[in-house]
Amino acid sequence: MERRKLSPFISVSPQISVEDVGVAASLGFKTIVCNRPDNESDDQINADKIKQAAERNGLTFKHLPVVSGNITDDDVSAFAKLMADIKGPVLAYCRTGTRSCTLWALAEAAHLAPQTLLDTAQEAGYDLSGQQSRMQQRFEQSTADTSQANAPSVNKHTVVIVGGGAGGQSVAASILKRQPQTDIAIVEPAEAHYYQPGWTLVGGGVFEREQTKRQMRDIMPKAAKWYQTAVSSCLSSNASSSKMVTKLRIKVWL
């Protein structure tokens, strides 16, 4: 049996024999999944014989056949649902293992970066570069759906400053002094502001640390919108010849 590990949960293989089922059981596999339609070739061992062997060895058997070169979105969804329901470790097989590996990669593209999946498949001996654009599309769609679900409302500002320390406050004040109508947002989770440039004097014994402390709400520019939260990540950046637009996903601490 030529098993190729993709993750601790699943390995894939070319067509297995009845004898291979006992080997799979001895290796700790709990479920066998066949992704090959019956009667695909004359020398093929059809699914019912593998199922009988699996049952004799105490393994679960699932038959999810897909047509070579024609894996549909419905096939991927069915595979993802199956993986969520069955007990692992799983051994999935088809004629060469490529279909099983492709189903796994497309299903995992909902939450794993395409390059990670391509590299994993390559290490297992499968070249899925032809599926890269499809994986990328599924990854981006899943990311967009998650962002929309987690962020029911979107606030837009002309300038977003991440960090309300001395640097962030100075930049905001400078912009507002020159352009008072600028729509500025400052993202800063802390309630207290420390004037860190003064800490050299604290270290020299001139000031006490508490003397450099102010409440953030007292020193925040009144014309700026303060988000007392943290930035989780930068979702995307779109550049044009005239300006850079950056969209940020904000993680709100409730």
Side-chain angles (χ1 to χ4, degrees):
M1 183 177 63
E2 191 180 337
R3 62 189 177 95
R4 305 177 187 182
K5 189 175 182 178
L6 299 176
S7 76
F9 184 78
I10 183 171
S11 296
V12 297
S13 170
Q15 173 71 54
I16 64 174
S17 66
V18 171
E19 292 76 16
D20 288 334
V21 176
V23 176
S26 70
L27 292 172
F29 287 100
K30 302 300 182 183
T31 304
I32 293 178
V33 176
C34 175
N35 295 127
R36 193 177 186 188
D38 282 338
N39 304 311
E40 196 175 52
S41 65
D42 293 337
D43 60 347
Q44 178 180 347
I45 303 172
N46 283 342
D48 58 337
K49 293 184 178 180
I50 302 297
K51 179 180 180 181
Q52 292 170 13
E55 291 174 347
R56 288 195 299 270
N57 285 275
L59 303 182
T60 300
F61 179 85
K62 298 292 182 180
H63 192 200
L64 183 64
V66 297
V67 178
S68 179
N70 187 33
I71 297 178
T72 67
D73 289 343
D74 287 342
D75 292 332
V76 176
S77 296
F79 186 83
K81 184 178 185 304
L82 181 63
M83 291 299 105
D85 293 340
I86 60 180
K87 185 176 182 180
V90 176
L91 177 66
Y93 75 91
C94 56
R95 187 180 71 83
T96 65
T98 302
R99 269 171 283 183
S100 298
C101 185
T102 302
L103 283 165
W104 167 81
L106 290 173
E108 291 295 305
H111 57 271
L112 288 179
Q115 192 58 55
T116 299
L117 298 170
L118 290 171
D119 291 344
T120 301
Q122 188 67 49
E123 290 176 5
Y126 297 103
D127 180 6
L128 300 187
S129 57
Q131 299 290 336
Q132 184 171 6
S133 61
R134 191 174 178 187
M135 283 189 276
Q136 186 66 38
Q137 182 180 14
R138 292 178 66 85
F139 180 73
E140 291 176 355
Q141 182 61 52
S142 177
T143 301
D145 291 344
T146 301
S147 299
Q148 184 175 2
N150 292 338
S153 62
V154 177
N155 296 331
K156 296 182 179 180
H157 302 277
T158 305
V159 176
V160 176
I161 298 173
V162 180
Q169 299 282 0
S170 298
V171 170
S174 177
I175 294 174
L176 290 170
K177 182 177 180 180
R178 288 172 290 155
Q179 301 179 29
Q181 302 305 315
T182 304
D183 181 8
I184 295 180
I186 299 177
V187 183
E188 171 55 60
E191 294 184 358
H193 176 278
Y194 288 90
Y195 184 65
Q196 293 186 10
W199 282 5
T200 55
L201 298 177
V202 173
V206 178
F207 293 134
E208 294 295 328
R209 186 171 181 268
E210 285 299 307
Q211 290 180 273
T212 67
K213 179 181 178 181
R214 299 289 187 276
Q215 290 300 306
M216 190 69 67
R217 63 174 179 271
D218 295 334
I219 55 90
M220 187 72 62
K222 302 305 181 185
K225 171 65 176 178
W226 175 29
Y227 290 94
Q228 190 177 0
T229 182
V231 172
S232 172
S233 63
C234 179
L235 288 181
S236 63
S237 296
N238 302 313
S240 67
S241 59
S242 60
K243 62 181 179 180
M244 173 75 76
V245 178
T246 302
K247 298 178 181 178
L248 297 176
R249 181 198 303 147
I250 304 299
K251 179 186 287 184
V252 180
W253 302 95
L254 299 177

